[in-house]
Amino acid sequence: MNPKSMERLFARFEAFRDKEPIGLLYAIWRTDIEPLYPSELPTTYKAFENQQPTFRFSPATELNGLLIIRGNDLTVKRLMMATCKAASKDLHDELCKCGFEPDAGIVEINWLWALIEAAGKGHLGCEGFVDGKAFYQSRVADLTVDEATILDDSLGWSMADFVPRKFMQLENIVESSISFIEYLRTELEAPKPKALPKEQRIDESLRDLYESDPTFCLRETLQVIAQQLNLHSEDIVSDCPFYIFYLKELRDTYRIQKKAKQQATS
């Protein structure tokens, strides 16, 4: 982690706090449906019409995306985009280490795309998506409704009533970015658990298998148990401390009791 880069970018975003909020709208849809133009936004997002900058990109092979930055001061937006570009470059390694690898083909929006992903995963808290959800546009009325509401059978709607196009909004890129940097810093500073030795991992896997299905571990052969654990040899199972000091005795008792029952019924 590069603490200096984080501190520098944190300060750059903080400098925008006394400016007007800069909003972000993200729309995404399949490539096999009509593209979305900024002049066709649902009423909910009319404040984003005729706004610059606007970016089109493909977040995946089968998807198209649209990003629109909302704000009245073009100079502030230009400086904000320069800061987002710097964040994309300077925190690239940090983003990757935390599971974010945005590559929109446009450096300026890689940071914004990472913000969208972080909001979708719930990492930005109150600075995530407006209303915390993604919304769909109705085919027959100028409505935007979240997926959970659409799938509520009692309301009589279905996904067929809505355009297969999602809308997600951030109220203020500045506050979302500050929250995101704090999240990245916390994640990177958290101590990483040490990997268990292989023998201990196998022992715990056998223990977990027994706790989830004790009958299986008592009844089946060691070869079958080894296969269940993706081990190449039953000897690996029989060498486990959990097997030696606990499971073996239980299996021996199980076999004796089973044999006794068979003799009693014969």
Side-chain angles (χ1 to χ4, degrees):
M1 182 176 69
N2 189 336
K4 290 185 177 179
S5 291
M6 281 201 165
E7 291 297 332
R8 183 172 62 253
L9 286 163
F10 191 95
R12 287 185 64 174
F13 281 113
E14 271 197 320
F16 289 94
R17 274 183 156 167
D18 62 347
K19 310 297 181 184
E20 65 171 1
I22 302 174
L24 173 68
L25 179 65
Y26 178 47
I28 188 171
W29 63 93
R30 299 195 314 264
T31 54
D32 61 341
I33 70 171
E34 290 295 318
L36 175 69
Y37 296 97
S39 60
E40 301 170 343
L41 296 174
T43 299
T44 309
Y45 307 113
K46 289 298 181 183
F48 287 88
E49 283 190 354
N50 303 315
Q51 290 284 314
Q52 296 295 330
T54 298
F55 300 96
R56 294 184 179 278
F57 71 108
S58 180
T61 304
E62 71 284 1
L63 296 174
N64 284 327
L66 176 70
L67 281 173
I68 304 177
I69 314 301
R70 185 195 67 210
N72 296 319
D73 192 323
L74 293 178
T75 300
V76 171
K77 287 200 289 187
R78 179 177 57 80
L79 293 172
M80 169 57 65
M81 292 308 300
T83 304
C84 289
K85 182 177 182 179
S88 297
K89 291 182 175 180
D90 296 351
L91 298 183
H92 177 266
D93 291 344
E94 285 77 4
L95 288 170
C96 292
K97 288 177 182 177
C98 292
F100 302 93
E101 298 186 34
D103 184 13
I106 308 170
V107 178
E108 286 83 349
I109 68 171
N110 281 346
W111 178 257
L112 300 179
W113 191 9
L115 285 181
I116 294 292
E117 288 191 12
K121 295 176 180 178
H123 297 325
L124 303 186
C126 63
E127 301 303 336
F129 294 145
V130 172
D131 294 327
K133 303 169 184 175
F135 291 80
Y136 291 83
Q137 180 181 6
S138 170
R139 293 184 185 274
V140 297
D142 197 6
L143 299 172
T144 50
V145 180
D146 68 275
E147 188 171 12
T149 302
I150 296 172
L151 298 178
D152 185 342
D153 294 336
S154 66
L155 299 176
W157 282 334
S158 73
M159 289 302 297
D161 298 320
F162 292 82
V163 180
R165 186 182 287 135
K166 287 185 180 181
F167 295 90
M168 293 144 279
Q169 181 183 349
L170 294 177
E171 188 64 36
N172 191 343
I173 297 171
V174 170
E175 297 302 331
S176 295
S177 294
I178 289 173
S179 294
F180 192 29
I181 291 175
E182 289 285 15
Y183 167 79
L184 293 174
R185 179 166 25 216
T186 300
E187 283 295 295
L188 293 167
E189 289 178 348
K192 298 295 184 287
K194 293 183 179 179
L196 295 174
K198 182 178 179 181
E199 294 78 8
Q200 189 174 345
R201 293 200 305 272
I202 295 171
D203 195 66
E204 290 195 359
S205 295
L206 180 59
R207 185 189 302 271
D208 291 341
L209 179 60
Y210 174 75
E211 290 178 354
S212 64
D213 193 349
T215 302
F216 176 87
C217 290
L218 295 177
R219 181 187 64 229
E220 299 297 340
T221 66
L222 291 186
Q223 183 179 6
V224 172
I225 293 174
Q227 292 173 349
Q228 183 70 17
L229 296 174
N230 295 318
L231 302 174
H232 60 79
S233 170
E234 62 186 70
D235 293 339
I236 300 176
V237 177
S238 62
D239 288 341
C240 285
F242 179 73
Y243 178 82
I244 296 171
F245 298 109
Y246 186 79
L247 187 56
K248 184 179 185 302
E249 182 178 351
L250 292 179
R251 283 170 59 84
D252 291 342
T253 302
Y254 177 83
R255 282 199 303 273
I256 293 171
Q257 291 175 343
K258 184 178 178 181
K259 185 176 182 179
K261 287 180 181 180
Q262 290 173 341
Q263 291 175 343
T265 58
S266 60

